[in-house]
Amino acid sequence: MIPQVGEVFTGTVVSNVPFGSFVEHPDGKHGLLHGQTVEVGSAVEVKVLASDEVQQRFSCELA
């Protein structure tokens, strides 16, 4: 299940890319923390900005 817009959760940073970091939701889905590079393995509190059920992805910001 993809997290819903507005949901706030603590996730783990699983990888970094040139345009941000990917954060793992407790249910196992990965979402993009756009424009933020956070150390892999760090726990971060994020808020879901957009959710795409079809492509099974979401974007988020630091909460």
Side-chain angles (χ1 to χ4, degrees):
M1 176 177 217
I2 294 295
Q4 298 301 307
V5 173
E7 179 180 340
V8 176
F9 68 90
T10 300
T12 303
V13 177
V14 293
S15 66
N16 289 317
V17 291
F19 45 85
S21 297
F22 282 98
V23 176
E24 184 174 47
H25 185 269
D27 288 341
K29 301 293 184 192
H30 293 176
L32 178 63
L33 179 60
H34 187 74
Q36 301 283 327
T37 302
V38 182
E39 184 178 345
V40 173
S42 297
V44 292
E45 186 172 15
V46 296
K47 179 179 179 181
V48 178
L49 297 176
S51 182
D52 185 338
E53 289 284 338
V54 175
Q55 295 190 19
Q56 295 288 295
R57 63 185 184 185
F58 63 94
S59 62
C60 52
E61 67 180 358
L62 292 175

